[in-house]
Amino acid sequence: MPKTELVQKFHVLYLGTTSVSRPIGMDVINGAIDSLMSTTGKEDWTPVILSIADTTVAVIKEKEEDEEALVECRVRFLSFMGIGRNVHTFAFIMDTGNQHFQCHAFWCDPNAGCVSEAVQAACVLRYQKCLVARPPSQRACSSTSPSADSVTRRVTTSVKRGVQSLIDTLKPKKQPSELP
């Protein structure tokens, strides 16, 4: 029986993509978002459907006649994600191989919280599938290669930081009158 994959779709504006020097970091994400926002105007942003499944994140151009995929990224190659300084901005970094990294940025209304949660859920699900798919002989920590462990730690840490950033961004700020 074929498995059905849960796909979440969001109508957002695609700010674009830019090369970045590192695969992780909120400073990298914020720098990429700032760069893209300063070089393009809101009228240049592309209305897209951000389609998020457990294996792929697709950026699909909205058209009246048909949908055109601008970008299709495998979740396994997502190295970092986060909500920018502005709660409407969201970006993720993809490892394109040979130490090249691309940051894709979006403008989300009313905020980027739901998009960020959907991408995080896809990452977690993908990670869980990888753990389950490993042969029993490779599940013991002592037999895994150092590079696999470091990648696992990096992805797990990146997702945790991105989620914590999201939670901190969405928490209501206390008013001075509420402080003790």
Side-chain angles (χ1 to χ4, degrees):
M1 185 159 202
K3 291 182 181 177
T4 55
E5 190 174 50
L6 176 65
V7 178
Q8 294 184 60
K9 296 184 177 189
F10 300 90
H11 294 271
V12 297
L13 294 173
Y14 185 49
L15 306 181
T17 185
T18 187
S19 292
V20 292
S21 59
R22 295 191 335 258
I24 61 171
M26 282 309 298
D27 58 327
V28 176
I29 292 270
N30 285 322
I33 291 170
D34 292 346
S35 173
L36 288 166
M37 289 182 72
S38 67
T39 58
T40 61
K42 195 167 185 172
E43 65 279 354
D44 297 323
W45 301 344
T46 307
V48 297
I49 297 169
L50 188 58
S51 176
I52 303 165
D54 66 338
T55 57
T56 58
V57 175
V59 180
I60 303 164
K61 189 172 186 178
E62 289 184 14
K63 284 188 169 181
E64 292 175 16
E65 297 169 11
D66 59 83
E67 297 175 341
E68 174 190 346
L70 297 175
V71 179
E72 193 167 285
C73 304
R74 305 273 309 178
V75 170
R76 66 189 299 171
F77 299 120
L78 189 145
S79 63
F80 196 80
M81 57 151 230
I83 295 175
R85 288 182 197 97
N86 184 318
V87 296
H88 294 281
T89 57
F90 172 79
F92 61 83
I93 300 173
M94 294 302 298
D95 184 341
T96 59
N98 296 326
Q99 295 297 308
H100 292 100
F101 309 101
Q102 290 286 315
C103 183
H104 298 271
F106 305 88
W107 182 269
C108 312
D109 276 322
N111 63 52
C114 291
V115 171
S116 182
E117 286 179 355
V119 174
Q120 182 225 349
C123 291
V124 169
L125 186 58
R126 190 76 203 143
Y127 177 71
Q128 288 171 342
K129 284 183 176 183
C130 288
L131 289 178
V132 170
R134 293 169 73 183
S137 63
Q138 291 183 348
R139 289 187 188 162
C141 290
S142 60
S143 66
T144 60
S145 68
S147 62
D149 282 346
S150 67
V151 169
T152 299
R153 277 194 303 273
R154 185 179 75 196
V155 169
T156 303
T157 302
S158 296
V159 170
K160 285 180 183 175
R161 284 183 189 151
V163 171
Q164 189 60 48
S165 172
L166 164 68
I167 291 168
D168 291 344
T169 303
L170 298 177
K171 282 183 181 174
K173 304 279 192 255
K174 289 192 175 191
Q175 299 298 321
S177 61
E178 297 176 23
L179 295 174

